[in-house]
Amino acid sequence: MRKLLLVGVLGLSSIVCDAQFKRGDRMVGASVGNIFFNAANATQTVESVGSLDYTTRQFGLSINPSIGWFISEKTVVGASLNINPTSSKTTYESGGSSFQEDQDNSFAIGFGGFARNYFAGSGSFMPFAQLGLNAGINTRKTEGYFYGGSGPTGYKEVYDGKSTGGFFFNSTLNLGMTKLIGETTGLDIFAGYNFSHNKNTFNYVRLRDEGNNGSIESRAESKTTTSFSNHGFVLGVGLQVFLRGKK
């Protein structure tokens, strides 16, 4: 019985370690990169105001489902989907009372392509390099309030803004390793460089309530177009399923 079990384990190991890809095989999976959650509490002292406490919460992640085809034993080309939600909330307090709060949410979705080359065509540990390009649209919404002054001169401002015509472009270069955990399943671990470009037109409205009595005395609107580029570091994990093509 022990001999049969040993033979079975060795046989399975040989299948895993000797996985060999060929032209026409497919790679279907998803990766998660740049996932973060940040919570912070801090105190600062402003000479004209006094001691202030603020709390901030931030969340964001990037999800990239993809499908690719082996064009040789070591090279995969394919298409990918990029989904990137982010959120942040910051609250300011003085004397135990909140006087300002800012909430910001954004969402981006895009499509693109990638090319991956494995430096080893078989084995359970397979290093790779991958180049990816994608572009798409993004939206952003921000809202908040601010209490200023005190007594008869006190006021409250409420503001919100929305973006229109948002566009982004990303390019990534990753180096990583696929660890085969079965005949057709692999776990990716990767790190790399990311370049991104974003453009948004932001419509902003600010309402002011003098005396903080529930009536709006003034309204201000602004429209701002921003365009910026960013260079960053990517660290992520992914899961791949390898589907054999026709023999």
Side-chain angles (χ1 to χ4, degrees), residues 121-137:
S122 62
S124 61
F125 289 94
M126 301 185 300
F128 67 82
Q130 179 169 313
L131 174 66
L133 301 172
N134 69 82
I137 58 175

mmCIF file of all heavy atoms in Angstrom, residues 121-137:
data_model
loop_
_atom_site.group_PDB
_atom_site.id
_atom_site.type_symbol
_atom_site.label_atom_id
_atom_site.label_comp_id
_atom_site.label_asym_id
_atom_site.label_seq_id
_atom_site.Cartn_x
_atom_site.Cartn_y
_atom_site.Cartn_z
ATOM 1 N N GLY A 121 10.442 26.695 -20.329
ATOM 2 C CA GLY A 121 9.222 26.145 -20.906
ATOM 3 C C GLY A 121 8.624 25.021 -20.100
ATOM 4 O O GLY A 121 7.523 24.564 -20.392
ATOM 5 N N SER A 122 9.320 24.538 -19.092
ATOM 6 C CA SER A 122 8.813 23.458 -18.257
ATOM 7 C C SER A 122 9.376 23.616 -16.859
ATOM 8 O O SER A 122 10.244 24.438 -16.606
ATOM 9 C CB SER A 122 9.208 22.099 -18.842
ATOM 10 O OG SER A 122 10.620 21.967 -18.866
ATOM 11 N N GLY A 123 8.870 22.795 -15.935
ATOM 12 C CA GLY A 123 9.282 22.900 -14.546
ATOM 13 C C GLY A 123 8.176 23.517 -13.723
ATOM 14 O O GLY A 123 7.238 24.122 -14.240
ATOM 15 N N SER A 124 8.275 23.388 -12.403
ATOM 16 C CA SER A 124 7.218 23.914 -11.540
ATOM 17 C C SER A 124 7.441 25.375 -11.182
ATOM 18 O O SER A 124 6.517 26.054 -10.764
ATOM 19 C CB SER A 124 7.127 23.074 -10.265
ATOM 20 O OG SER A 124 8.352 23.128 -9.542
ATOM 21 N N PHE A 125 8.672 25.891 -11.319
ATOM 22 C CA PHE A 125 8.957 27.308 -11.112
ATOM 23 C C PHE A 125 9.374 27.907 -12.453
ATOM 24 O O PHE A 125 10.415 27.539 -13.006
ATOM 25 C CB PHE A 125 10.073 27.495 -10.080
ATOM 26 C CG PHE A 125 9.655 27.166 -8.678
ATOM 27 C CD1 PHE A 125 9.885 25.897 -8.150
ATOM 28 C CD2 PHE A 125 9.031 28.118 -7.884
ATOM 29 C CE1 PHE A 125 9.516 25.590 -6.855
ATOM 30 C CE2 PHE A 125 8.647 27.809 -6.586
ATOM 31 C CZ PHE A 125 8.882 26.548 -6.067
ATOM 32 N N MET A 126 8.576 28.842 -12.963
ATOM 33 C CA MET A 126 8.843 29.387 -14.293
ATOM 34 C C MET A 126 8.910 30.908 -14.225
ATOM 35 O O MET A 126 7.886 31.585 -14.079
ATOM 36 C CB MET A 126 7.755 28.950 -15.271
ATOM 37 C CG MET A 126 7.633 27.439 -15.405
ATOM 38 S SD MET A 126 6.432 26.960 -16.664
ATOM 39 C CE MET A 126 4.945 27.723 -16.007
ATOM 40 N N PRO A 127 10.114 31.487 -14.314
ATOM 41 C CA PRO A 127 10.245 32.949 -14.319
ATOM 42 C C PRO A 127 9.746 33.527 -15.639
ATOM 43 O O PRO A 127 9.828 32.901 -16.696
ATOM 44 C CB PRO A 127 11.750 33.161 -14.142
ATOM 45 C CG PRO A 127 12.369 31.916 -14.686
ATOM 46 C CD PRO A 127 11.415 30.804 -14.378
ATOM 47 N N PHE A 128 9.226 34.763 -15.575
ATOM 48 C CA PHE A 128 8.709 35.394 -16.788
ATOM 49 C C PHE A 128 8.911 36.904 -16.741
ATOM 50 O O PHE A 128 9.126 37.512 -15.684
ATOM 51 C CB PHE A 128 7.223 35.079 -16.979
ATOM 52 C CG PHE A 128 6.310 35.677 -15.939
ATOM 53 C CD1 PHE A 128 5.877 36.998 -16.022
ATOM 54 C CD2 PHE A 128 5.869 34.913 -14.864
ATOM 55 C CE1 PHE A 128 5.034 37.546 -15.067
ATOM 56 C CE2 PHE A 128 5.024 35.451 -13.899
ATOM 57 C CZ PHE A 128 4.602 36.779 -13.998
ATOM 58 N N ALA A 129 8.808 37.514 -17.918
ATOM 59 C CA ALA A 129 8.740 38.971 -18.068
ATOM 60 C C ALA A 129 7.476 39.279 -18.850
ATOM 61 O O ALA A 129 7.136 38.554 -19.795
ATOM 62 C CB ALA A 129 9.969 39.506 -18.799
ATOM 63 N N GLN A 130 6.762 40.332 -18.471
ATOM 64 C CA GLN A 130 5.501 40.655 -19.133
ATOM 65 C C GLN A 130 5.377 42.156 -19.365
ATOM 66 O O GLN A 130 5.618 42.962 -18.471
ATOM 67 C CB GLN A 130 4.314 40.165 -18.301
ATOM 68 C CG GLN A 130 2.957 40.496 -18.921
ATOM 69 C CD GLN A 130 1.817 39.778 -18.236
ATOM 70 O OE1 GLN A 130 1.892 38.567 -17.983
ATOM 71 N NE2 GLN A 130 0.752 40.498 -17.932
ATOM 72 N N LEU A 131 5.007 42.507 -20.587
ATOM 73 C CA LEU A 131 4.737 43.889 -20.972
ATOM 74 C C LEU A 131 3.240 44.041 -21.194
ATOM 75 O O LEU A 131 2.633 43.231 -21.891
ATOM 76 C CB LEU A 131 5.502 44.261 -22.242
ATOM 77 C CG LEU A 131 5.205 45.640 -22.843
ATOM 78 C CD1 LEU A 131 5.682 46.742 -21.894
ATOM 79 C CD2 LEU A 131 5.868 45.779 -24.210
ATOM 80 N N GLY A 132 2.632 45.067 -20.594
ATOM 81 C CA GLY A 132 1.198 45.286 -20.752
ATOM 82 C C GLY A 132 0.878 46.728 -21.085
ATOM 83 O O GLY A 132 1.545 47.656 -20.604
ATOM 84 N N LEU A 133 -0.133 46.929 -21.905
ATOM 85 C CA LEU A 133 -0.623 48.260 -22.271
ATOM 86 C C LEU A 133 -2.133 48.252 -22.167
ATOM 87 O O LEU A 133 -2.787 47.293 -22.596
ATOM 88 C CB LEU A 133 -0.218 48.630 -23.704
ATOM 89 C CG LEU A 133 1.282 48.653 -24.035
ATOM 90 C CD1 LEU A 133 1.469 48.838 -25.539
ATOM 91 C CD2 LEU A 133 1.977 49.780 -23.277
ATOM 92 N N ASN A 134 -2.716 49.288 -21.583
ATOM 93 C CA ASN A 134 -4.171 49.397 -21.561
ATOM 94 C C ASN A 134 -4.596 50.846 -21.418
ATOM 95 O O ASN A 134 -3.836 51.694 -20.930
ATOM 96 C CB ASN A 134 -4.789 48.529 -20.455
ATOM 97 C CG ASN A 134 -4.480 49.026 -19.074
ATOM 98 O OD1 ASN A 134 -5.131 49.939 -18.566
ATOM 99 N ND2 ASN A 134 -3.471 48.437 -18.430
ATOM 100 N N ALA A 135 -5.814 51.124 -21.857
ATOM 101 C CA ALA A 135 -6.367 52.477 -21.807
ATOM 102 C C ALA A 135 -7.858 52.377 -21.537
ATOM 103 O O ALA A 135 -8.489 51.348 -21.807
ATOM 104 C CB ALA A 135 -6.101 53.221 -23.115
ATOM 105 N N GLY A 136 -8.429 53.453 -20.988
ATOM 106 C CA GLY A 136 -9.855 53.404 -20.697
ATOM 107 C C GLY A 136 -10.367 54.714 -20.149
ATOM 108 O O GLY A 136 -9.759 55.772 -20.330
ATOM 109 N N ILE A 137 -11.483 54.641 -19.449
ATOM 110 C CA ILE A 137 -12.143 55.826 -18.919
ATOM 111 C C ILE A 137 -12.157 55.765 -17.396
ATOM 112 O O ILE A 137 -12.079 54.691 -16.807
ATOM 113 C CB ILE A 137 -13.582 55.962 -19.445
ATOM 114 C CG1 ILE A 137 -14.404 54.712 -19.076
ATOM 115 C CG2 ILE A 137 -13.580 56.158 -20.962
ATOM 116 C CD1 ILE A 137 -15.879 54.822 -19.455
#
